[in-house]
Amino acid sequence: MTDLLKIYQELQEKKWVNLSHQIREDSPHFPALPALEKKDIFTLKDGFHVQQFSVVGQYGTHIDAPIHFVEGGRWLGEIELKDLFLPVVVIDKSKEVTENPDFILGKQDILDFEAEHGQIEPGTFCCLSIRLVQALAKSISYAQSG
């Protein structure tokens, strides 16, 4: 058995968490960006279903390329796929955001997380879960003022 097959089999036994959600015309997005637009080009009456989507790149669950924030940073096409395979931790602050829509994650929150779960190792991808979709369903504004 090859090493890759062993790794694959081991990964199949692990817990997988889907962090994505479907984008629709009414999906939450930064107000300065246009909403997703879609239209049917062909329908099943034509024998197959084809849709056309118009959406900005920074919409829904996505990866921001370093060039998005840093002059001279890399474009997504310049990032090796293996560089996107990282250990991950998820800091869940959905309760705090539900109670306070203006909640801001601070250093102490990270230290508290590490006290409970262990030190976050260098190179770890850190995710902040605020369960935005659920929060928006409760009328918490996506873009807080101030």
Side-chain angles (χ1 to χ4, degrees):
M1 184 180 306
T2 66
D3 289 342
L4 187 56
L5 185 54
K6 288 178 188 175
I7 293 168
Y8 168 78
Q9 289 174 336
E10 184 175 336
L11 287 174
Q12 288 298 308
E13 296 172 7
K14 302 298 180 187
K15 178 181 178 184
W16 290 73
V17 179
N18 184 349
L19 299 177
S20 65
H21 61 275
Q22 184 179 12
I23 60 170
R24 302 182 319 234
E25 296 89 341
D26 63 346
S27 290
H29 62 280
F30 185 65
L33 301 176
L36 170 132
E37 296 175 16
K38 69 178 179 180
K39 67 179 180 179
D40 288 332
I41 304 296
F42 298 99
T43 68
L44 292 178
K45 291 178 183 176
D46 301 306
F48 55 97
H49 191 194
V50 175
Q51 292 180 300
Q52 178 179 332
F53 294 86
S54 175
V55 63
V56 297
Q58 287 71 28
Y59 200 93
T61 302
H62 67 280
I63 299 172
D64 275 321
I67 191 75
H68 186 83
F69 295 103
V70 180
E71 187 173 338
R74 294 184 294 172
W75 294 93
L76 284 181
E78 298 171 330
I79 299 173
E80 295 286 331
L81 184 58
K82 67 180 181 177
D83 292 339
L84 299 176
F85 188 76
L86 302 166
V88 65
V89 297
V90 179
I91 301 173
D92 187 349
K93 291 297 181 181
S94 53
K95 179 179 181 238
E96 290 80 355
V97 170
T98 299
E99 293 171 359
N100 174 14
D102 295 321
F103 172 82
I104 297 173
L105 184 76
K107 180 179 178 180
Q108 190 59 52
D109 295 302
I110 296 169
L111 294 173
D112 292 346
F113 177 88
E114 289 184 318
E116 183 176 345
H117 301 283
Q119 182 178 1
I120 300 171
E121 296 297 324
T124 298
F125 184 79
C126 297
C127 297
L128 172 62
S129 175
I130 60 170
R131 301 189 192 274
L132 182 61
V133 172
Q134 291 88 341
L136 287 169
K138 295 179 182 176
S139 299
I140 296 176
S141 176
Y142 177 79
Q144 298 299 321
S145 60

